[in-house]
């Protein structure tokens, strides 16, 4: 069967370098290391007890590891009938060679496969008794653990303890460590660890790959492949080392089959002895620079030189550092606490602040779902988390939109518009990647118009750029990148609509966030966001002229701007048609929405599917059922522009009409309900938002976690229940806790300051650090200019909130 | 349509193993009436497809004379060839049928809905009602209103509620499709008025369809992966997956009629006597084709 069996037998080969000896010593200390690394607090852990084959794809997604550069699903090392192991590198898209296909995130060769034989019998959950089995995701340290205790048909009991990580300290590094203990027998243990192209369930495209045989190091498995349809090269360097209690190492041979390379190690183990297999993978691509193969080899050498233990420690320290600025603590609701950490874990795992040419796909790097494409989800639902917890990551995500600006210009130009028209779905180049049509569940072929009509994404991106700049004060970003996005997006809106005979500027033929209604006119969300984009575009031009004239001159010359155009933007913003009824204070979601057939959604409860599935694609367009937060989302995003009455009226009108057919919906409804004080409603939606991935009967996390829903959950708590809004010179808090919560606490980054907000039933506290003071405001209007290094508290009495008071000085370290 | 479109029509090719025990006996209850006789073509065809022996169980009121048994059962000489006649061994016709089902190897019941006199409105024949109250493991009901007609098996509609309970029905449908060279259309009804199934491993239609162009192909793939992994598949069976919204029973019947389905296969919880209007009865009455019920426990 072996095409080219070229064993590299190192049975008698001594270790030639100090580095390799260090690796052996590391492995010998693996158990000690594992003991130190384990997090025991269950609120930091996601545990999948036992094994349910049918849920395997979901489990793989939920338990994925990642660091923004690389992601790896939480598959079983030995595989199962449903295992779909996959490793992804951000930005590495392949282009299938089929008509009408779109780029998709490439499934890279699987490096995690480890199969074990005990006395020539495979160790498998399908044979014998599974005495214990659990996968544990440790959010705190960013590690996936697996514990498996198995009795084989011969009665031998074997214990496996394994961990896997994608280093947050060194993004090109992955580690997989397996420790095996024969509990009641002595025997020969055989490990077969492999690297193989994925086949079957998740991706059907086998990459073209070849083994590089020119490695000078016998225990390094080198691999390089060219991405189909792209020039990208991906290079792997994999080294593995086995050691057991009595001696080291076991034998090692290598087999090569088409699509698969296998290493074999053996050890003769006594009962109770431990055997460790450490696998270290280094990944570089040609996107990182020239000769990724040499870089991965050199990187691997350096990692081995420093030792695995050191690499693992650096990783866990990096995670602990990130949580310092991101962890929301909720005392009194353990389920929500775990959901928030699950959200934070997957969001942090998805972002790479060091690479501004990639963004976060709708399913992160935890699965192949949505082909890795990037939507408005990123800017509207995910970027806020990073703005307030890790601004460099937010900046990198927004710079991705700068680097794809040229593609957005191409799209606008090809559609007959000016400026930049961002794609509804984006991949590596920034060109539109929305599929043109799908086969619907009823068998019909349905055209997908979102790529042409769901244009609000351009305003969403501009909104996020503006918010980032406002909340970070990152002038360098704004001048170098953000301003050009603001100008080009405003220019698009000025060309997309038309001033009609009524004197208003109308934007027709669009899809708003409510995608149940396609090809509508004067969509409230789109027009409101476009109006803001036009205004901010004009402001950007004025600010550039005033504060950064050189940059303005450069942009004006290159983009052929003149003052008349900027003036036009203000006029168009002023004449933008906003469908608003002053009597009812309602925005009409789009022209004609109020005349749609009313549907009482309560009559459909409980229901097991989305409303468009129940009513059908054509029928739902004739009804007033809203897919997801639409006008409600606009009232949140434009909060400071609207009166409390308008916000509440629109929430109360649209909430009962919303079917929540998108995972993006519950969180925004929780947020808005909390802000307007409808706490039972807020609690219901918060629970729904928290269960989108973690509920065990949703069934659609198989392709990866729902990144926007995770970002939305963070927003619901911070912007909704804590009521955080930002001011020109500070922040405002309007706390609305739930009865079960004893304490809500979270850190914030705002314009170079670090804050920690604590909310209890009748007390709000804010610790501040940084160089500059900031204004603190409470919902009551109580304000104080908070000096850095102090804690301020406000107490609530029957009469309302008392004024802020300085409680004590706090050191930066205390934050 | 372009080649890049995800296809919900999948030819299953894998090394899965059959989990369905093949049918070796087909039991056809006959009371001598034309109404009970309409199930004969279906029973004969199924016996042929399975390579099973066909047993005609007499469930009429009058005493049967062995010399004239075939005629009393309503079978012509031609129809009676190869059929083993089972005169009643009990005064209770249903008990006779159920005992046969237990005694005969791997038996499948094929029965007209109008076997025995109808004693209650909105119910089937008395014998049919009594037999199904006994929850036979595998049975095909042929609705009498359709009349007797030749029967072929080209399209099977498989009801799948997304729970592991449907797996036995999948096995039966695929096994039969393989024998007949038929295709299987799996229909998942996204129901209103029902909670999402909470059995571990269930895969109901998605509650969140963020982007249909991605969500539905992914869901279909996941659905198929889970079904294939359940081991219920034979190789080479052409399988289509469809989703409809509404009430399960009426949607199944609607799709069966709309697509001229030859056989509906569904997992059955055994709810029968107490529910005159259960989904199973709705399907049997309105599908316009025979319905195979695979008992999956209550």
């Amino acid at each position: 069967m072996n095409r080219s069996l070229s064993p590299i037998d190192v049975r008698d080969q001594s270790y030639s370098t100090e580095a390799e000896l260090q690796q052996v010593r590391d492995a010998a200390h693996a158990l000690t290391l594992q003991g130190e690394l384990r997090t025991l607090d269950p609120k930091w852990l996601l545990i999948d007890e036992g094994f349910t084959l049918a849920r395997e794809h979901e489990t793989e997604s939920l338990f994925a590891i990642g660091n923004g550069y690389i992601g790896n699903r939480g598959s079983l090392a030995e595989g199962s009938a449903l295992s779909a192991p996959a490793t992804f590198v951000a930005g590495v898209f392949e282009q299938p060679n089929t008509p009408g296909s779109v780029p998709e995130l490439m499934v890279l060769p699987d490096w995690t496969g480890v199969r074990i034989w005990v006395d020539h019998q495979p160790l498998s959950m399908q044979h014998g008794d599974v005495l214990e089995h659990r996968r544990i995701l440790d959010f705190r340290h960013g590690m996936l653990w697996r514990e498996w205790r198995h009795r084989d048909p011969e009665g031998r009991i074997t214990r496996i303890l394994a961990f896997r990580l994608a280093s947050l300290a060194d993004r090109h590094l992955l580690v997989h460590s397996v420790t095996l203990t024969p509990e009641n027998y002595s025997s020969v243990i055989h490990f077969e660890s492999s690297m193989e192209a994925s086949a079957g369930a998740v991706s059907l495209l086998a990459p073209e790959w070849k083994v590089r045989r020119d490695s000078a190091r016998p225990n390094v498995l080198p691999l390089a492949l060219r991405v189909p349809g792209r020039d990208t090269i991906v290079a792997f360097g994999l080294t593995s080392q086995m050691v057991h209690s009595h001696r080291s190492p076991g034998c090692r041979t290598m087999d090569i089959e088409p699509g698969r390379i296998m290493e074999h190690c053996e050890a003769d183990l006594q009962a109770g002895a431990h055997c460790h297999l450490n696998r270290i993978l280094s990944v570089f691509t040609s996107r990182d620079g020239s000769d990724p193969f040499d870089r991965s080899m050199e990187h691997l050498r350096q990692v081995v030189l420093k030792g695995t233990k050191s690499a693992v420690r650096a990783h866990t320290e990096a995670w602990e550092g990130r949580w310092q600025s991101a962890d929301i603590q909720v005392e009194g609701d353990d389920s929500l606490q775990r959901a928030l950490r699950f959200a934070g874990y997957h969001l942090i795992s998805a972002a790479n602040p060091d690479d501004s040419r990639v963004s976060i796909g709708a399913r992160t790097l935890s699965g192949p779902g949505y082909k890795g494409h990037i939507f408005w989800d990123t800017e509207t639902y995910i970027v806020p988390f990073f703005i307030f917890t890790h601004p460099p990551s937010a900046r990198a995500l927004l710079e991705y939109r700068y680097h794809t600006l040229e593609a957005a210009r191409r799209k606008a130009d090809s559609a007959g518009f000016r400026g930049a028209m961002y794609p509804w779905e984006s991949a590596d180049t920034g060109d539109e990647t929305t599929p043109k049509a799908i086969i619907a569940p009823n068998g019909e072929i349905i055209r997908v118009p979102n790529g042409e009509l769901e244009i609000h994404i351009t305003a969403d991106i501009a909104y996020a750029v503006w918010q980032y700049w406002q909340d970070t004060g990152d002038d360098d970003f704004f001048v170098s990148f953000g301003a050009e996005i603001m100008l080009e997006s405003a220019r698009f809106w000025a060309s997309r609509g038309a001033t009609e005979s009524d004197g208003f500027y109308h934007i027709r033929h669009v899809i708003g966030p409510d995608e149940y209604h396609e090809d509508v006119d004067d969509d409230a969300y789109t027009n409101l966001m476009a109006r803001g984009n036009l205004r901010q575009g004009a402001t950007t031009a004025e600010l550039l002229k005033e504060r950064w004239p050189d940059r303005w001159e450069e942009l004006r010359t290159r983009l052929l701007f003149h003052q008349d155009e900027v003036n036009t933007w203000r006029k168009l913003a002023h004449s933008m048609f906003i469908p608003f009824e002053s009597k009812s204070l309602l925005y009409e979601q789009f022209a004609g929405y109020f005349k749609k057939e009313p549907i009482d959604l309560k009559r459909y409860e409980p229901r097991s599917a989305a409303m468009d599935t129940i009513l059908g694609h054509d029928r739902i367009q004739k009804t007033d059922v809203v897919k997801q937060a639409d006008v409600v989302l606009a009232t949140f995003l434009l909060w400071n522009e609207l009166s409390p009455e308008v916000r509440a009226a629109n929430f109360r009108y649209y909430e009962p009409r919303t079917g929540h057919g998108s995972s993006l919906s519950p969180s925004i409804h929780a947020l808005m309900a909390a802000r307007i004080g409808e706490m039972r409603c807020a609690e219901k939606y918060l629970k729904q938002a928290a269960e989108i991935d973690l509920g065990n009967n949703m069934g659609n996390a198989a392709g990866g976690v729902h990144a926007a829903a995770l970002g939305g959950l963070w927003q619901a708590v911070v912007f909704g229940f804590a009521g955080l809004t930002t001011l020109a010179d500070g922040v405002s808090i309007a706390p609305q806790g739930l009865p079960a919560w004893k304490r809500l606490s979270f850190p914030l980054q705002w314009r170079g300051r670090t804050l920690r907000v604590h909310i209890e039933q009748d007390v709000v506290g804010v610790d501040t650090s940084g160089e500059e003071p900031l204004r603190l405001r409470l919902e009551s209007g109580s304000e104080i200019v908070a000096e850095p290094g102090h804690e301020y508290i406000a107490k609530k009495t029957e009469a309302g909130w008392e004024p802020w008071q300085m409680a004590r000085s706090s050191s930066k370290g205390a934050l | 349509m372009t080649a890049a479109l995800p296809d919900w029509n999948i030819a299953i090719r894998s090394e899965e193993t059959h989990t369905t025990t093949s049918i070796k006996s087909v039991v056809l209850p006959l009371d001598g009436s034309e109404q009970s006789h309409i199930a004969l073509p279906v029973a004969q065809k199924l016996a042929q497809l399975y390579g099973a022996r066909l047993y005609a169980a007499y469930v009429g009121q009058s005493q049967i004379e062995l010399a004239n048994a075939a005629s009393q059962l309503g079978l012509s000489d031609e129809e009676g060839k190869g059929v083993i006649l089972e005169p009643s061994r009990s005064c209770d016709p249903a008990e006779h049928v159920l005992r046969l089902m237990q005694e005969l190897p791997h038996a499948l019941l094929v029965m007209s809905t109008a076997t025995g006199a109808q004693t209650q409105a909105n119910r089937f024949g008395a014998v049919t009602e009594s037999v199904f109250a006994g929850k036979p493991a595998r049975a095909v009901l042929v609705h009498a209103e359709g009349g007797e007609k030749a029967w072929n098996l080209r399209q099977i509609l498989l009801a799948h509620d997304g729970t592991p309970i449907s797996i036995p029905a999948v096995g039966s449908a695929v096994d039969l499709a393989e024998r007949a060279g038929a295709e299987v259309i799996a229909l998942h009804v996204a129901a209103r008025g029902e909670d999402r199934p909470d059995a571990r491993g269930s895969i109901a239609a998605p509650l969140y369809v963020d982007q249909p162009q991605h969500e539905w192909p992914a869901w279909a793939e996941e659905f198929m992966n889970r079904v294939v992994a359940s081991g219920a598949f034979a190789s080479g069976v052409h399988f289509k997956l469809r989703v409809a919204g509404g009430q399960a029973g009426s949607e199944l019947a609607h799709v069966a009629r709309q697509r001229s389905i030859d056989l509906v296969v569904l997992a059955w919880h055994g709810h029968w006597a107490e529910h005159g209007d259960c989904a199973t009865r709705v399907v049997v009455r309105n599908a316009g084709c025979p319905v195979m019920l695979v008992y999956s426990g209550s």
Side-chain angles (χ1 to χ4, degrees):
Chain A
M1 179 166 176
N2 291 350
R3 175 174 57 86
S4 173
L5 183 61
S6 305
I8 304 169
D9 193 341
V10 293
R11 188 191 307 262
D12 302 318
Q13 193 168 355
S14 61
Y15 284 90
S16 56
T17 68
E18 175 60 27
E20 283 162 335
L21 285 171
Q22 179 61 46
Q23 190 181 348
V24 172
R25 285 195 289 270
D26 277 356
H29 289 111
L31 274 187
T32 311
L33 186 64
Q34 287 166 2
E36 293 171 8
L37 292 172
R38 301 294 293 272
T39 299
L40 300 177
D41 181 350
K43 293 194 283 291
W44 281 100
L45 303 175
L46 179 67
I47 301 175
D48 181 59
E49 194 76 36
F51 177 70
T52 305
L53 177 65
R55 288 200 70 209
E56 186 56 13
H57 289 168
E58 282 174 54
T59 307
E60 289 175 337
S61 299
L62 305 189
F63 288 78
I65 54 171
N67 58 23
Y69 178 82
I70 198 161
N72 174 244
R73 285 166 67 78
S75 310
L76 299 178
E78 75 281 8
S80 73
L82 265 183
S83 289
T87 298
F88 309 97
V89 170
V92 175
F93 288 84
E94 62 181 323
Q95 175 63 60
N97 186 25
T98 49
S101 63
V102 293
E104 50 193 73
L105 195 61
M106 187 178 177
V107 178
L108 296 169
D110 178 48
W111 62 283
T112 59
V114 176
R115 294 169 186 81
I116 298 167
W117 280 263
V118 176
D119 195 19
H120 308 294
Q121 298 297 315
L123 195 64
S124 159
M125 287 202 283
Q126 275 74 50
H127 303 105
D129 302 318
V130 178
L131 303 177
E132 291 175 47
H133 185 263
R134 62 188 64 86
R135 269 171 281 193
I136 303 168
L137 188 62
D138 178 346
F139 308 135
R140 186 177 203 162
H141 289 152
M143 297 176 77
L144 169 61
W145 291 88
R146 184 187 185 198
E147 296 173 348
W148 177 21
R149 190 162 170 263
H150 193 85
R151 180 168 53 217
D152 67 20
E154 279 70 41
R156 293 173 296 219
I157 298 175
T158 306
R159 181 183 290 275
I160 305 281
L161 178 62
F163 71 79
R164 207 183 289 177
L165 63 87
S167 176
L168 197 65
D170 176 357
R171 286 188 158 83
H172 299 271
L173 176 68
L174 296 108
V175 176
H176 184 196
S177 174
V178 180
T179 299
L180 181 147
T181 309
E183 288 193 3
N184 63 347
Y185 65 92
S186 301
S187 181
V188 173
I189 308 293
H190 181 110
F191 288 87
E192 177 196 279
S193 46
S194 60
M195 177 176 277
E196 55 191 294
S198 294
V202 172
S203 172
L204 298 175
L205 284 168
E208 296 172 5
W209 57 279
K210 61 177 184 174
V211 179
R212 294 277 298 257
R213 292 181 162 280
D214 56 351
S215 169
R217 299 168 61 83
N219 64 337
V220 171
L221 182 60
L223 183 70
L225 61 91
R226 183 181 296 277
V227 176
R230 293 285 192 266
D231 290 333
T232 314
I233 303 290
V234 182
F236 297 84
L238 176 64
T239 187
S240 55
Q241 188 59 59
M242 192 182 77
V243 64
H244 54 86
S245 307
H246 305 300
R247 62 189 180 85
S248 61
C251 70
R252 183 164 174 277
T253 59
M254 189 181 298
D255 290 349
I256 301 171
E257 292 179 1
R260 190 175 184 207
I261 307 173
M262 290 163 290
E263 293 175 289
H264 302 276
C265 304
E266 269 188 11
D268 194 353
L269 284 186
Q270 301 298 309
H274 306 300
C275 177
H276 312 284
L277 178 73
N278 276 357
R279 306 185 82 208
I280 303 166
L281 178 72
S282 171
V283 182
F284 279 81
T285 79
S286 53
R287 297 181 64 260
D288 306 316
S290 60
D291 210 343
F293 180 77
D294 288 347
R295 292 186 75 182
S296 72
M297 291 299 110
E298 174 58 20
H299 177 241
L300 196 59
R301 195 183 73 80
Q302 291 293 333
V303 171
V304 170
L305 192 64
K306 291 176 186 167
T308 316
K309 195 171 176 179
S310 164
V312 174
R313 282 200 190 289
H315 165 77
T316 58
E317 285 168 11
W319 267 99
E320 291 196 348
R322 282 293 283 109
W323 281 116
Q324 286 286 317
S325 64
D327 184 34
I328 299 178
Q329 294 173 16
V330 184
E331 292 178 22
D333 188 341
D334 289 354
S335 294
L336 178 65
Q337 177 68 82
R338 189 177 294 107
L340 284 165
R341 285 179 174 151
F342 175 81
Y345 165 81
H346 275 291
L347 291 170
I348 293 168
S349 298
N352 181 0
D354 300 327
D355 189 350
S356 63
R357 291 179 185 272
V358 300
S359 186
I360 297 175
R363 297 292 181 262
T364 69
L365 296 173
S366 64
Y370 287 58
K371 301 185 187 300
H373 293 179
I374 297 123
F375 295 76
W376 71 307
D377 308 31
T378 308
E379 283 74 18
T380 304
Y381 288 81
I382 298 171
V383 162
F385 167 79
F386 290 110
I387 289 176
F388 290 99
T389 65
H390 198 247
S393 292
R395 173 173 171 150
L397 293 170
L398 295 172
E399 281 186 33
Y400 164 81
R401 295 298 190 178
Y402 176 81
H403 294 308
T404 55
L405 193 50
E406 198 52 45
R409 288 188 183 107
R410 281 198 299 273
K411 181 176 176 183
D413 186 55
S414 67
F417 305 117
R418 301 187 68 215
M421 179 186 185
Y422 278 101
W424 178 241
E425 298 186 27
S426 183
D428 47 354
T429 65
D431 289 305
E432 182 61 74
T433 55
T434 306
K436 301 285 185 198
I438 60 162
I439 299 174
N442 63 1
E444 293 174 16
I445 296 173
I446 294 181
R447 196 174 73 86
V448 180
N450 306 62
E452 301 156 47
L453 304 184
E454 199 152 3
I455 57 175
H456 64 79
I457 186 171
T458 294
D460 300 328
I461 291 167
Y463 181 94
V465 165
W466 192 261
Q467 289 304 314
Y468 171 81
W469 180 49
Q470 294 292 303
D471 293 326
T472 62
D474 186 349
D475 289 345
D476 176 65
F477 164 81
F478 186 70
V479 173
S480 303
F481 307 107
E484 194 168 339
I485 293 174
M486 298 307 300
L487 296 172
E488 288 287 68
S489 53
R491 182 177 251 181
F492 165 71
W493 290 114
S495 68
R496 179 57 174 78
T499 302
E500 299 185 4
S501 56
D502 60 1
F504 286 105
Y505 189 69
H506 295 268
I507 301 175
R508 302 192 181 276
H509 305 296
V510 303
I511 301 174
D514 167 23
E515 291 143 341
Y516 286 167
H517 297 96
E518 297 171 345
D519 198 359
V520 299
D521 295 335
D522 288 324
D523 178 68
Y525 178 90
T526 304
N527 288 14
L528 284 165
M529 297 297 286
R531 183 175 72 178
N533 197 164
L534 285 164
R535 286 174 178 163
Q536 286 157 357
T539 304
T540 298
E542 288 154 7
L543 281 169
L544 285 173
K545 264 189 287 187
E546 183 186 326
R547 294 176 58 187
W548 298 286
D550 292 346
R551 176 62 169 158
W552 167 249
E553 190 57 26
E554 188 269 323
L555 286 173
R556 190 191 65 77
T557 307
R558 177 159 56 86
L559 304 177
L560 303 175
F561 275 110
H562 54 81
Q563 187 57 46
D564 287 350
E565 186 173 3
V566 177
N567 295 341
T568 300
W569 295 350
R570 289 230 182 261
K571 287 178 189 164
L572 294 180
H574 185 70
S575 63
M576 179 74 72
F577 182 81
I578 304 294
F580 182 73
E581 281 189 354
S582 53
K583 188 176 174 187
S584 63
L585 302 180
L586 294 178
Y587 290 102
E588 184 174 26
Q589 190 178 288
F590 53 80
Y593 172 81
F594 287 150
K595 292 179 183 161
K596 293 284 181 185
E597 175 195 347
I599 295 285
D600 181 1
L601 287 173
K602 285 185 182 153
R603 289 182 52 227
Y604 290 78
E605 298 292 345
R607 58 185 160 88
S608 63
M611 280 304 296
D612 62 332
T613 308
I614 290 173
L615 295 180
H617 176 260
D618 293 336
R619 169 88 198 283
I620 199 136
Q621 302 214 35
K622 297 170 184 163
T623 73
D624 68 350
V625 178
V626 179
K627 181 180 178 182
Q628 59 186 315
D630 185 300
V631 171
V632 170
L633 176 62
T635 57
F636 157 58
L637 295 175
L638 306 174
W639 183 261
N640 290 331
E641 298 178 22
L642 307 176
S643 70
E645 293 78 17
V646 169
R647 300 167 190 154
N650 282 277
F651 180 80
R652 289 180 181 130
Y653 181 83
Y654 283 104
E655 186 271 330
R657 291 166 174 79
T658 304
H660 307 291
S662 163
S663 69
L664 282 60
S665 193
S667 59
I668 296 301
H669 280 79
L671 186 164
M672 281 296 295
R675 279 199 174 181
I676 66 174
E678 300 209 357
M679 300 313 292
R680 288 182 66 179
C681 183
E683 184 174 16
K684 178 185 81 170
Y685 284 121
L686 186 67
K687 184 170 187 293
Q688 192 175 340
E691 289 179 348
I692 284 170
D693 282 318
L694 294 176
N696 65 7
N697 61 346
M698 294 305 165
N700 66 345
V705 296
H706 294 72
L710 301 175
L713 185 66
W714 182 90
Q715 292 193 49
V717 172
V718 174
F719 296 154
F721 289 85
L724 180 80
T725 53
T726 54
L727 313 168
D729 55 354
V731 299
S732 174
I733 297 164
Q736 293 276 14
L738 291 173
W741 296 0
K742 293 176 186 156
R743 193 167 196 260
L744 171 66
S745 168
F746 57 89
L748 277 181
Q749 302 282 313
W750 187 78
R751 291 197 194 172
R753 289 106 164 153
T754 298
L755 314 179
R756 178 165 281 280
V757 179
H758 317 270
I759 298 170
E760 295 175 22
Q761 202 66 32
D762 299 321
V763 182
V764 174
V766 179
D767 287 359
T768 63
S769 75
E771 304 299 325
E772 302 286 334
L774 82 162
R775 184 176 305 278
L776 286 181
R777 183 188 285 172
L778 261 179
E779 59 170 334
S780 59
S782 167
E783 288 188 356
I784 194 167
V785 176
E787 295 296 330
H790 295 85
E791 181 188 8
Y792 295 85
I793 62 167
K795 293 180 179 172
K796 193 176 189 180
T797 66
E798 288 184 358
W801 289 99
E802 293 181 343
W804 289 104
Q805 291 190 340
M806 189 194 296
R808 61 179 169 81
S809 296
S810 62
S811 67
K812 288 180 185 176
L815 295 175
Chain B
M1 182 160 65
T2 70
L5 288 174
D7 198 346
W8 293 54
N9 310 326
I10 301 164
I12 303 298
R13 299 176 305 275
S14 60
E15 61 278 4
E16 308 84 29
T17 55
H18 287 243
T19 56
T20 307
T21 306
S22 190
I23 301 297
K24 293 188 175 155
S25 319
V26 173
V27 176
L28 171 68
L30 295 170
D31 61 6
S33 68
E34 285 184 13
Q35 285 87 349
S36 70
H37 190 272
I38 61 147
L40 177 65
V42 178
Q44 287 175 318
K45 182 68 180 179
L46 288 172
Q48 178 203 333
L49 289 172
Y50 285 120
R53 191 168 290 278
L54 178 58
Y55 294 82
Y58 179 65
V59 292
Q61 294 296 318
S62 57
Q63 286 289 325
I64 196 164
E65 298 170 18
L66 283 176
N68 197 23
S71 154
Q72 277 188 274
L73 286 167
L75 298 175
S76 65
D77 291 347
E78 188 64 26
E79 290 167 343
K81 281 181 186 169
V83 178
I84 298 174
L85 306 181
E86 285 285 346
S88 178
R89 286 176 284 167
S90 163
C91 57
D92 181 343
E95 191 182 311
H96 171 49
V97 173
L98 292 168
R99 187 181 296 165
L100 268 179
M101 290 292 295
Q102 285 183 340
E103 290 174 355
L104 293 171
H106 307 302
L108 169 71
L109 175 69
V110 179
M111 189 170 192
S112 161
T113 55
T115 307
Q118 185 181 5
T119 56
Q120 274 184 278
N122 211 28
R123 295 286 168 128
F124 299 132
V127 177
T128 308
E129 290 288 346
S130 298
V131 168
F132 277 82
K135 301 174 184 173
R138 274 172 293 188
V140 175
L141 263 173
V142 184
H143 195 222
E145 280 184 8
E148 185 167 336
K149 54 194 171 192
W151 187 70
N152 266 311
L153 189 54
R154 298 182 196 87
Q155 286 191 105
I156 295 173
L157 183 66
L158 166 68
H160 200 304
D161 66 1
T163 69
I165 287 169
S166 296
I167 295 301
V170 178
S172 295
V174 172
D175 176 55
L176 196 49
E178 187 182 31
R179 293 169 187 280
E183 73 171 358
V184 176
I185 301 172
L187 182 69
H188 176 78
V189 180
R192 53 184 284 195
E194 288 179 19
D195 281 319
R196 292 179 70 76
D198 56 4
R200 279 177 78 85
S202 294
I203 179 166
L207 198 55
Y208 303 112
V209 185
D210 295 357
Q211 294 295 311
Q213 63 269 31
H214 294 283
E215 201 72 53
W216 282 116
W219 182 82
E221 186 178 355
E222 178 65 14
F223 189 100
M224 290 305 304
N225 282 333
R226 292 191 188 194
V227 171
V228 169
S230 73
F233 267 102
S235 59
V237 172
H238 199 257
F239 198 97
K240 290 179 180 172
L241 177 57
R242 295 286 180 264
V243 176
Q247 302 293 347
S250 52
E251 276 303 315
L252 274 165
H254 171 71
V255 172
R257 280 192 179 277
Q258 187 186 44
R259 293 179 172 267
S260 302
I261 292 293
D262 301 305
L263 179 72
V264 175
V265 179
L266 53 95
W268 180 48
H269 300 279
H271 301 156
W272 187 258
E274 65 273 33
H275 297 296
D277 57 350
C278 67
T280 307
R281 287 180 188 269
V282 171
V283 178
V284 171
R285 281 197 193 97
N286 302 304
C289 67
V291 176
M292 177 183 277
L293 305 177
V294 183
Y295 183 61
S296 60
S298 55

